[in-house]
């Protein structure tokens, strides 16, 4: 993994609390969407508003969805106007792995990394040229078709792939009053997503390696609203990186690219005017990793980012720049591990922001390790917060907003034993200058929050079953009222049992979550729930495999956002074919 430190290391080496989900994990679960795949992961609470392709929010360690930094292949990704990421639109068929880093990382990445960082890596290629094709059919008239070709050696590597997902969906929302007006649209809310991924890399004889990559997903999703009730969307990532080793002790990375988040909201009958929000993030990184000794690594780097927005509404300002410089020192000595990082960001809107991170680990007897860390982070206000135009002469934004700021402390203890591993963490995060609406519905830096939590992970073998337990407890409180922050469960667990019978792999998963309040006043409580998911995959031959998944086996009726329906029981059948084209 690379996300926790921007340098290559294993998850066991990392001082941070991390989870890595590989391509093998994706195929084992037979999941069809990123929210479905990561739900119940340690420290990560997921809400979904109506099934596949509907708004999905990720609350990492109790922080807001806008306080989680999202990267795709190293490039910052998300909406520059709303400040959140469209997880529901990411094509899972094009993803190689997902790295989840819990805890502040602004000292490396700048804005947004208060709760942590989630990075998506799209598919690459290695080994002999290999084709792949996969067809899935399931409940709710759901289908997914994916195909690709990939390969590579020490000099060249490539991947070309495409996918098409569609579902008739479910009725996304119950009848409700929306802004005082009755809303009742008892129809199926469908979703379709077409995506492609391309990656090409070449290693030069004595001049480093160069790689180009591109991913795009576009389609349509329907939902229930008295205003627009359909979105046409496009998510795009285009970039390149160049890696060079000028000397034995110096590795350099140059990376640049662009991500786009485009969305047009409308009604098919034309009764409501179309609403368009197109965002773009251009980013460039220069990173230098200097090996001081065999156990000391110094990372120095700088990055530049330009955010741009284009919309049917006339934003008072449509672009802004941010320049950052960062340094990180990693060392190991005796039984100690140390990480020290600092970063300075210069934003043309709010000026300079300085953040830092300090982590320490100590190896104990019996394969145990204690860790402790402290870090600061911030989140810059969005274009909506700062520059949204006045409404009939009344202001709706505030160009004088300051960034939200946080400080976090964490302690942990981990260990390994024959056939297993465990990890326990406790943390506290204090967030100041939270941006909320005042009595005139104008955003202000008025609020603060304190989040305390405990996480535990255990992986072991029980009667030939691989068992993985993930436990999370988080207490996110508004400092002024003492209320629990809205839409966050305080406790949840995920328990996976996996076993292989010859060429057949079976996975049983239990996800249980406690209740949550839908509103800041804590007057509207949604009950907790538990669901059981089952997945199976059988390798018929070296080329052919068949698999299936049943989600919500007991057809539990539950909601994670008030009035928005979750999927009930649904089944999925998948057939895949992967021939080697040339040996």
């Amino acid at each position: 993994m690379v996300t926790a430190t921007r340098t290559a290391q294993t998850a066991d080496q990392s001082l941070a609390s991390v989870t890595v989900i590989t391509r093998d994990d994706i195929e084992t679960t037979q999941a069809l969407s990123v929210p479905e795949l990561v739900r119940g992961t340690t420290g990560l609470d997921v809400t979904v508003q109506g099934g596949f392709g509907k708004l999905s929010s990720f609350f990492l360690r109790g922080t807001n969805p806008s306080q989680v930094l999202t990267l795709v292949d190293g490039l910052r990704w998300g909406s520059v106007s709303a400040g959140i990421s469209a997880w529901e639109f990411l094509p899972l068929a094009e993803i190689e792995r997902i790295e989840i880093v819990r805890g502040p990382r602004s000292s490396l990445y700048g804005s947004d990394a208060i709760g942590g960082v989630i990075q998506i890596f799209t598919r690459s290629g290695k080994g002999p040229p290999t084709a792949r094709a996969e067809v899935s059919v399931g409940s709710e008239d759901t289908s997914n078709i994916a195909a690709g070709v990939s390969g590579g050696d020490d000099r060249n590597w490539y991947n070309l792939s495409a996918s098409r997902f569609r579902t008739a969906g479910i009725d996304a929302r119950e009848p409700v009053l929306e802004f005082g007006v009755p809303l009742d649209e008892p129809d199926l809310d469908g979703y379709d997503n077409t995506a492609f991924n391309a990656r090409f890399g070449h290693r030069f004889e004595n001049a480093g390696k160069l790689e180009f990559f591109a991913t795009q997903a576009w389609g349509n999703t329907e939902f229930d609203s008295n205003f627009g009730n359909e979105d046409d969307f496009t998510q795009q990532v285009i970039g390149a990186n160049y890696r060079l080793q000028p000397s034995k002790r110096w590795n350099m990375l140059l990376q640049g690219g662009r991500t786009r988040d485009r969305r047009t909201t409308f009604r098919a009958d034309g009764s409501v005017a179309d609403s368009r929000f197109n965002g773009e993030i251009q980013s460039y990184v220069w990173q230098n990793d200097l090996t001081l000794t065999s156990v000391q690594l110094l990372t120095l780097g700088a990055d530049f980012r330009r955010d741009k927005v284009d919309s049917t509404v006339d934003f008072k300002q449509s672009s802004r720049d941010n320049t950052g410089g960062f340094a990180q020192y990693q060392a190991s000595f005796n039984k100690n591990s140390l990480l020290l990082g600092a970063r300075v960001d210069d934003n043309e809107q709010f000026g300079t922001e300085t953040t830092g991170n300090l982590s320490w680990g100590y190896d104990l007897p019996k394969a145990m390790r204690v860790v402790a860390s402290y870090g600061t982070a911030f989140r810059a206000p969005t274009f909506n917060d700062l520059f949204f135009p006045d409404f009939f002469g009344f202001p709706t934004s505030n160009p004088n907003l300051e960034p939200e700021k946080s400080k976090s402390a964490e302690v942990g203890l981990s260990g390994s034993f024959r056939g297993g591993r465990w990890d326990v963490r406790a943390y506290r995060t204090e967030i100041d200058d939270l941006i909320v609406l005042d009595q005139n519905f104008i955003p202000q830096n008025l609020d603060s929050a304190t989040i305390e939590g405990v996480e535990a992970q255990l992986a072991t073998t029980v009667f030939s079953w691989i068992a993985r337990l993930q436990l999370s407890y988080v207490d996110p409180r508004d400092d002024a009222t003492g209320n629990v922050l809205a839409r966050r469960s305080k406790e949840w667990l995920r328990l996976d049992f996996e076993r292989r019978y010859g060429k057949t792999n079976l996975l049983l998963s239990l996800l249980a979550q406690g209740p949550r309040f839908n509103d800041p006043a804590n007057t509207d409580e949604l009950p907790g729930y538990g669901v059981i998911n089952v997945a199976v995959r059988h390798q018929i031959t070296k080329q052919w495999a068949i698999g299936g998944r049943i989600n919500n086996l007991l057809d539990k009726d539950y909601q994670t956002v008030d009035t928005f329906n979750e999927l009930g029981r649904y089944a999925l059948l998948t057939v895949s074919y992967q021939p080697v084209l040339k040996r």
Side-chain angles (χ1 to χ4, degrees):
M1 66 169 297
V2 298
T3 308
T5 61
R6 296 184 91 145
T7 59
Q9 60 180 191
T10 66
D12 289 343
Q13 292 172 328
S14 175
L15 295 174
S17 178
V18 300
T19 297
V20 179
I21 301 173
T22 66
R23 186 69 215 175
D24 287 343
D25 296 328
I26 295 171
E27 293 178 356
T28 296
T29 64
Q30 298 282 291
L32 283 181
S33 72
V34 173
E36 179 185 39
L37 174 70
V38 304
R39 211 166 206 174
T41 299
T42 305
L44 183 59
D45 192 3
V46 177
T47 64
V48 177
Q49 297 179 211
F52 288 121
K54 305 304 180 281
L55 179 62
S56 301
S57 299
F58 285 16
F59 302 87
L60 188 56
R61 283 192 168 179
T63 59
N64 291 329
S66 59
Q67 295 167 340
V68 179
L69 174 62
T70 309
L71 304 173
V72 177
D73 291 325
L75 299 179
R76 183 179 290 261
W77 171 72
S79 168
V80 297
S81 55
I84 58 176
S85 301
W87 296 104
E88 61 274 15
F89 298 150
L90 277 177
L92 196 54
E94 311 302 331
I95 293 175
E96 183 68 29
R97 76 180 189 275
I98 301 173
E99 295 182 359
I100 302 171
V101 181
R102 292 172 281 274
R105 282 297 177 273
S106 283
S107 61
L108 276 179
Y109 298 103
S111 176
D112 303 341
I114 292 177
V117 181
I118 302 177
Q119 181 160 198
I120 304 293
F121 294 88
T122 57
R123 299 183 77 151
S124 185
K126 62 180 180 179
T130 303
R132 61 181 181 273
E134 185 174 273
V135 177
S136 302
V137 293
S139 306
E140 320 299 348
D141 194 19
T142 299
S143 64
N144 187 60
I145 301 173
V149 60
S150 61
D153 52 32
D154 291 340
R155 296 295 302 276
N156 301 284
W157 58 95
Y158 60 90
N159 177 79
L160 281 171
S161 55
S163 61
R164 167 71 173 174
F165 179 94
R166 66 167 302 278
T167 181
I170 60 174
D171 187 10
R173 197 172 189 185
E174 298 175 344
V176 68
L177 287 177
E178 184 181 64
F179 299 108
V181 179
L183 168 64
D184 186 8
E185 295 184 350
D187 59 344
L188 297 180
D189 295 294
Y191 165 62
D192 66 81
N193 184 315
T194 302
F196 79 87
N197 171 255
R199 184 180 295 270
F200 302 94
H202 176 73
R203 185 188 303 272
F204 299 96
E205 188 68 34
N206 294 303
K209 58 182 181 179
L210 179 65
E211 185 176 54
F212 298 93
F213 53 89
T215 301
Q216 180 164 306
W218 67 95
N220 172 273
T221 188
E222 300 171 347
F223 50 94
D224 292 337
S225 173
N226 285 322
F227 305 99
N229 61 0
E230 291 188 50
D231 275 353
D232 285 340
F233 66 87
T234 299
Q235 302 291 317
Q236 184 187 84
V237 179
I238 298 176
N241 59 62
Y242 177 58
R243 299 180 185 273
L244 179 67
Q245 190 173 19
S247 70
K248 186 178 180 180
R249 295 180 179 271
W250 178 15
N251 287 283
M252 184 174 68
L253 166 67
L254 294 170
Q255 178 168 282
R258 177 188 71 198
T259 63
R260 284 178 170 171
D261 174 85
R262 298 187 167 192
R263 191 174 305 201
T264 299
T265 304
F266 62 97
R267 293 188 77 92
D269 60 10
S271 59
V272 175
D274 292 1
S275 174
R276 184 187 75 252
F277 288 87
N278 294 339
E280 178 177 303
I281 304 174
Q282 300 172 5
S283 55
Y284 307 91
V285 178
W286 178 36
Q287 179 175 323
N288 302 273
D289 299 320
L290 307 171
T291 302
L292 305 180
T293 69
S294 61
V295 292
Q296 296 183 85
L297 179 64
L298 177 65
T299 298
L300 302 173
D303 57 37
F304 171 81
R305 185 176 96 243
R306 173 167 293 164
D307 298 344
K308 301 168 65 176
V309 65
D310 173 64
S311 175
T312 48
V313 301
D314 187 17
F315 280 86
K316 300 172 185 177
Q317 184 172 322
S318 59
S319 68
R320 65 177 178 186
D321 296 345
N322 188 97
T323 302
F326 56 91
Q328 179 180 256
Y329 172 75
Q330 300 177 75
S332 298
F333 49 94
N334 297 326
K335 296 181 179 182
N336 295 273
S337 300
L338 181 67
L339 182 147
L340 178 64
R343 178 183 169 105
V344 177
D345 283 274
D346 183 18
N347 188 285
E348 69 171 312
Q349 175 61 33
F350 56 80
T352 301
E353 195 70 34
T354 301
T355 51
N357 190 55
L358 173 63
S359 299
W360 167 78
Y362 183 77
D363 294 333
L364 299 170
K366 298 183 179 180
M368 292 193 299
R369 182 169 70 166
V370 61
V371 296
S373 65
Y374 178 83
T376 59
F378 76 100
R379 183 188 80 90
T382 66
F383 277 89
N384 285 0
D385 295 329
L386 295 165
F387 309 124
F388 204 86
D390 295 349
F391 182 73
F392 292 104
F394 294 95
T396 61
S397 57
N398 182 358
N400 299 315
L401 288 171
E402 293 294 321
E404 300 175 336
K405 303 177 182 68
S406 74
K407 49 187 178 182
S408 300
E410 176 181 340
V411 294
L413 186 65
S414 62
S416 59
F417 53 92
R418 180 178 296 181
R421 181 170 179 79
W422 56 272
D423 188 294
V424 178
R425 306 272 176 145
Y427 60 89
R428 177 185 172 93
T429 299
E430 298 176 3
I431 308 175
D432 294 319
D433 295 326
L434 277 170
I435 298 172
V436 296
L437 299 180
D438 65 11
Q439 65 274 17
N440 297 314
F441 301 99
I442 301 173
Q444 307 283 358
N445 295 108
L446 294 177
D447 214 347
S448 63
T450 299
I451 304 171
E452 297 178 335
V454 178
E455 302 163 348
Q457 302 180 77
L458 171 66
T460 187
T461 301
V462 180
F463 300 115
S464 299
W465 289 81
I466 299 173
R468 293 181 293 270
L469 173 65
Q470 302 180 76
L471 283 168
S472 303
Y473 173 82
V474 59
D475 187 19
R477 298 278 177 173
D478 183 306
D479 288 342
T481 65
N483 292 339
V484 178
L485 299 181
R487 296 187 176 177
R488 271 149 274 209
S489 176
K490 293 182 65 175
E491 61 273 324
W492 64 95
L493 70 82
R494 176 169 169 171
L495 180 59
D496 295 327
F497 287 101
E498 183 180 353
R499 184 169 182 177
R500 178 171 292 277
Y501 298 90
K503 296 181 179 181
T504 302
N505 198 80
L506 178 63
L507 176 67
L508 305 175
S509 297
L510 167 66
L511 173 62
Q513 288 202 273
R516 69 188 73 218
F517 293 105
N518 193 67
D519 60 328
N522 289 184
T523 59
D524 182 12
E525 186 178 47
L526 297 173
Y529 68 94
V531 295
I532 297 174
N533 305 320
V534 181
V536 62
R537 179 178 171 86
H538 176 70
Q539 197 70 40
I540 303 172
T541 67
K542 288 184 178 181
Q543 293 82 29
W544 289 93
I546 187 170
R549 178 180 176 96
I550 301 178
N551 251 33
N552 196 353
L553 179 66
L554 303 181
D555 199 23
K556 176 68 176 179
D557 185 15
Y558 68 100
Q559 295 179 345
T560 52
V561 179
D562 193 29
T563 74
F564 287 91
N565 298 315
E566 292 268 0
L567 285 167
R569 179 173 52 233
Y570 81 88
L572 182 78
L573 176 67
T574 300
V575 177
S576 59
Y577 178 58
Q578 185 167 312
V580 175
L581 301 179
K582 181 182 177 181
R583 295 188 181 275

